[in-house]
Amino acid sequence: MNINEIAKMAGVSRATVSRYLNDGYVSKEKREAIGRVIEETGYQPSSQAQTLRTRRTKLIGVILPKINSDTVSRMVAGISQVLNQKDYRIILANTANQVEEEWKYLALFQENQVDGVILIGTIFTKKHRKLMEASRVPIVVLGQKLEGYPCVYQDEFHASRELTECLLQYGRNIGYIGVTQKDEAAGLGRRKGFEAALKRQKRTCPLENRRETTFRLEGGYQAAKELMEKNGEIDTIFCATDTIAVGALVYLRERGIQVPGQVQVAGMGDTQLGQVMAPALTSIHFFYKTSGMEAARMMVDLLENEEAVTKEIRMGYELKIRQSTRSHSSSWDVPQGSQTAQRNA
């Protein structure tokens, strides 16, 4: 028996049960329904939950994959902006991309009485789900779509498909550098968009033209090195992140390979580093700060609005065309200036 089952049997939302257990506001009718189910089932909350709080802590736990990330910093900036305005404070938990650390913090935040948890997710395991189902405080997922939970996520599929189609206009032999497909967004979602574009254009990217690497710059460098040494005919490289793309650009520059004249490169994430590279990196701009703000608003709504419902928000994106890819003027010339194409959620 867990909080989700209690909510279903009482005919209320998970957030309402959470408020009940934390002595928050719940209407008389719903409070009686929850109390009746708990009495009938013999449900025993954790020892921490048995000592109900008389007031909220006004603290929100934020679990993030790595603190030195441009993407994550933009999300956290958005979260902080909204929560500060609502007089909440955040506790950051940096997991350094370690799944076990995420499990630890999910359990730890329950013990330390935060009002809610915003989880910037990457890979969700069965243990993640078990811990989340047992949680007595609201959890909002940021960066991934997770069935049954309020979440804010990026349109990875359509963004990567559009970026790939842009590259295919002026590329004959394309290479792909991605990350593990266990990562639902940057890994699986972006790869599916890449493959959908290939299918629509009746093009192929054989396995020998594909690599999986880490999210680090040196991973992009090494993957680009392997691709070019394996197939010197590659004239286009799609990278799942800007960091990977910058690593690829560094390798190509060291080898004296002209970008975009000989090889064009694009990434995803529109980081500041990609913008200041020479040549500037064509990329997908995701509204990471805005998505953080939406996740924070969602959390506040769950905590303060009895009628709050579980929502899923898919964010929009922009395709930023810069000098690392070829233009229509000449298939092998460096394009001038920067263009923007916006797509809404």
Side-chain angles (χ1 to χ4, degrees), residues 65-75:
K66 59 178 181 177
I67 203 163
N68 60 335
S69 161
D70 181 77
T71 295
V72 171
S73 67
R74 285 150 67 184
M75 289 181 177

Side-chain angles (χ1 to χ4, degrees), residues 52-338:
L52 295 176
R53 295 175 291 181
T54 58
R55 62 182 180 85
R56 289 182 181 168
T57 64
K58 303 294 284 188
L59 295 174
I60 304 297
V62 180
I63 302 175
L64 49 90
K66 59 178 181 177
I67 203 163
N68 60 335
S69 161
D70 181 77
T71 295
V72 171
S73 67
R74 285 150 67 184
M75 289 181 177
V76 172
I79 293 170
S80 299
Q81 181 174 321
V82 170
L83 292 183
N84 286 342
Q85 292 171 353
K86 296 293 184 177
D87 200 29
Y88 286 87
R89 296 295 178 264
I90 65 175
I91 301 175
L92 297 180
N94 179 26
T95 65
N97 283 315
Q98 298 298 312
V99 173
E100 294 81 4
E101 290 296 304
E102 291 185 357
W103 298 339
K104 183 189 301 181
Y105 282 120
L106 279 169
L108 184 64
F109 278 143
Q110 303 304 313
E111 299 170 4
N112 283 275
Q113 297 189 355
V114 296
D115 289 340
V117 175
I118 297 176
L119 173 58
I120 302 178
T122 54
I123 298 172
F124 288 103
T125 65
K126 289 182 179 179
K127 188 165 183 178
H128 277 92
R129 292 177 179 272
K130 184 176 180 180
L131 288 167
M132 292 169 73
E133 287 172 0
S135 174
R136 62 188 181 84
V137 299
I139 296 177
V140 173
V141 177
L142 176 55
Q144 295 270 5
K145 181 179 180 181
L146 187 62
E147 193 70 30
Y149 287 88
C151 54
V152 182
Y153 61 97
Q154 311 303 327
D155 191 357
E156 313 284 356
F157 175 84
H158 291 100
S160 60
R161 187 180 71 181
E162 184 169 348
L163 177 61
T164 305
E165 289 178 342
C166 174
L167 292 171
L168 291 174
Q169 290 183 58
Y170 308 109
R172 303 187 185 101
N173 197 338
I174 192 167
Y176 174 87
I177 305 178
V179 296
T180 176
Q181 294 176 44
K182 292 180 180 179
D183 185 313
E184 291 284 336
L188 184 59
R190 296 178 188 183
R191 181 184 63 81
K192 285 184 175 180
F194 173 79
E195 291 178 344
L198 291 174
K199 185 176 181 180
R200 287 176 65 167
Q201 300 295 324
K202 295 182 173 56
R203 303 281 289 277
T204 61
C205 178
L207 290 178
E208 58 265 29
N209 283 10
R210 303 186 186 210
R211 293 292 183 277
E212 279 190 5
T213 187
T214 65
F215 286 89
R216 299 172 65 85
L217 187 147
E218 51 265 39
Y221 181 101
Q222 183 60 35
K225 181 176 185 292
E226 292 175 7
L227 281 179
M228 298 306 296
E229 290 180 350
K230 181 74 174 181
N231 183 357
E233 298 300 312
I234 287 177
D235 59 42
T236 301
I237 302 178
F238 172 101
C239 299
T241 74
D242 267 21
T243 302
I244 291 172
V246 169
L249 285 174
V250 171
Y251 168 76
L252 294 170
R253 184 163 57 193
E254 287 185 1
R255 290 296 308 274
I257 298 173
Q258 295 181 2
V259 178
Q262 293 173 273
V263 177
Q264 59 175 347
V265 180
M268 300 188 71
D270 194 27
T271 62
Q272 291 184 348
L273 180 58
Q275 294 172 28
V276 301
M277 286 293 292
L281 185 65
T282 288
S283 186
I284 292 290
H285 178 85
F286 290 120
F287 299 95
Y288 288 122
K289 182 177 180 180
T290 305
S291 66
M293 295 173 70
E294 291 290 353
R297 291 190 187 106
M298 199 177 285
M299 174 59 69
V300 172
D301 193 39
L302 289 170
L303 291 171
E304 300 183 356
N305 180 8
E306 185 184 354
E307 303 302 323
V309 296
T310 298
K311 295 188 294 184
E312 296 179 354
I313 297 177
R314 185 181 71 186
M315 303 295 296
Y317 65 88
E318 290 180 357
L319 170 60
K320 298 285 190 176
I321 303 173
R322 300 193 180 96
Q323 288 78 20
S324 69
T325 52
R326 302 176 188 118
S327 73
H328 59 82
S329 59
S330 175
S331 59
W332 308 126
D333 285 344
V334 179
Q336 300 299 316
S338 175

